[in-house]
Amino acid sequence: MKRDSFGSRFGALVALAGSAVGLGNLWRFPYLVGENGGAAFIIVYILLSFLICLPIFISEFVVGRRSQRNAYSSFRDLSGGTWWKYVGVMTIIVPLIVTSYYSVIGGWSVQYLLKSLTFSFTIGETQSQMSSMFSEYVSSPWLPLIGHTIFLGISVLVVGAGIKGGIEKFSKIMMPLLFVIVLGIAIYSMLLPGASEGLDYLFKPDFSKLTAKSCAAALGQAFFSLSIGFGTIMTYASYVDKKENILFQSTATAVSDLAFALIAGMAIMPAVFAFGLDPQSGPGLVFETLPFVFSQMPAGGAVAILFFLALLVAAITSSISMVEVGVAYLVEEKGLSRFWACLIVFCLCWSAGTLCSLSFGPLSDLKIFDMTIFDFLDYTSSNVLMTLGSLLTVLFVGWRLKKTDIYDEFTNGGSLRLNVRIFGVLWFLIRYIAPVAVLMIFIFGIIG
Ligand code: PFF
């Protein structure tokens, strides 16, 4: 049977950008920028994204498109069946773990979208009331599980509909919508009185805040944001046509991801500062601070609906890319139909996600290395496994595969002039610079 694939250049691009643009852009990037020196941090982030992460992204792309197989088979087949296949196993397992807890947060967005549709944030509660509403909600046993089930269910249904008919179609509609919504909120938010303080927080360069630790944070964020080290880019790349230009697709994804993160920052921070609030990172920013902001601003009810819709869409387009990794493996390696593969991935991620969700409430006392189940899975996958996955992928491409094969894949058999010209630089970055840099953040991430 012919393997499914993306039907167009734009389709492949929005799917890749959909994987990259997610919760990482909306709730972590704006805060990290403000905390670590504004424009100074952005400059470092851009340099690291393009010098270190883009070569790794391209490495994953090359492997996936060369083999035209799922991530596990790519490692196994291209390495001639050696121990590298175990790295392939890892690239299948990690996205399953990340999907499990990502879906819990996705579920919160479902719930908050429903809350905003019933105008729950317009009744002028205080910020501490908003915070306790959030903590009551996440620690209750049932409600978050409903959100988690709906979120994961939608993701698996999209993947179940196939590459062209599911993932591509969904991304083609949702990504432009997402862009328009976030841009609209950014414009609105920058027009609020007192918004300029938020822009200062984001963009005013303060080089004294740039430390080795903040550089490590920038690199870690760029990894997560570009979805590298998880087998997702590899899997999506395996559905990209051989005629497409890998350099163009990869660079366009990285640029969109960056643009999105910046626009998200401009949507969130000016509004937070306009109401005299302190920005927080992660769930606190999105589910405690922003609902309060929405309850105060003119037309806040409508902005809340749009914001939580955007958050949900961004999270789903990322989670489908992770679900596809496991589904592709089960279909191609285990010979299952797409239906059964989706069902198995759903059951695995639902069960693990349920434990994560309960770890905010009934299971909050269950600790692994002093962390709740949610924190443990988040920490090990984002700080350890993702970095390890990226390091091994870049070593695989730079030191195990043949340079001529990489050249051939990257330049479409020598036919793309610009790619031919820059191949030398790319090869150097892949072979020497990226592994050393990744190793450095790996060590920094572990010793904290
Ligand atoms: N890039 C996504 C974000 O910024 O939220 C997260 C993500 C998606 C990570 C897919 C890894 C992945 F495979």
Side-chain angles (χ1 to χ4, degrees), residues 144-361:
L145 282 187
I146 297 173
H148 162 54
T149 310
I150 296 176
F151 180 87
L152 192 61
I154 299 176
S155 307
V156 169
L157 280 178
V158 173
V159 171
I163 304 302
K164 219 183 268 118
I167 296 175
E168 178 172 350
K169 215 178 209 175
F170 186 81
S171 312
K172 266 181 168 166
I173 301 169
M174 293 303 173
M175 289 309 287
L177 177 74
L178 181 62
F179 183 74
V180 171
I181 294 179
V182 179
L183 190 64
I185 301 180
I187 294 171
Y188 179 72
S189 156
M190 285 189 292
L191 292 176
L192 291 168
S196 61
E197 225 185 299
L199 291 176
D200 280 354
Y201 175 79
L202 269 181
F203 295 122
K204 211 173 185 179
D206 180 355
F207 286 92
S208 69
K209 284 196 186 153
L210 265 190
T211 55
K213 212 165 166 223
S214 55
C215 295
L219 197 52
Q221 168 66 11
F223 269 40
F224 188 76
S225 198
L226 281 171
S227 311
I228 50 183
F230 289 81
T232 48
I233 300 307
M234 205 175 278
T235 307
Y236 269 10
S238 74
Y239 302 118
V240 173
D241 196 278
K242 285 278 185 193
K243 286 197 291 295
E244 291 301 329
N245 184 340
I246 293 184
L247 179 64
F248 169 77
Q249 294 266 350
S250 307
T251 313
T253 306
V255 170
S256 333
D257 186 49
L258 175 68
F260 211 98
L262 292 174
I263 299 172
M266 292 189 269
I268 295 170
M269 290 310 169
V272 169
F273 278 85
F275 292 96
L277 300 172
D278 267 339
Q280 294 173 271
S281 171
L285 175 64
V286 170
F287 298 106
E288 294 173 43
T289 310
L290 286 181
F292 179 65
V293 169
F294 297 142
S295 75
Q296 304 291 306
M297 64 169 39
V303 180
I305 296 173
L306 290 173
F307 178 81
F308 286 109
L309 180 66
L311 189 69
L312 181 60
V313 166
I316 293 181
T317 52
S318 292
S319 89
I320 55 179
S321 70
M322 293 186 268
V323 169
E324 175 59 28
V325 177
V327 170
Y329 166 77
L330 290 173
V331 169
E332 289 173 10
E333 277 301 309
K334 302 292 168 204
L336 298 184
S337 68
R338 215 167 165 81
F339 174 81
W340 283 107
C342 283
L343 196 62
I344 291 177
V345 169
F346 178 85
C347 291
L348 289 173
C349 296
W350 187 85
S351 314
T354 295
L355 293 178
C356 290
S357 180
L358 293 176
S359 75
F360 288 92

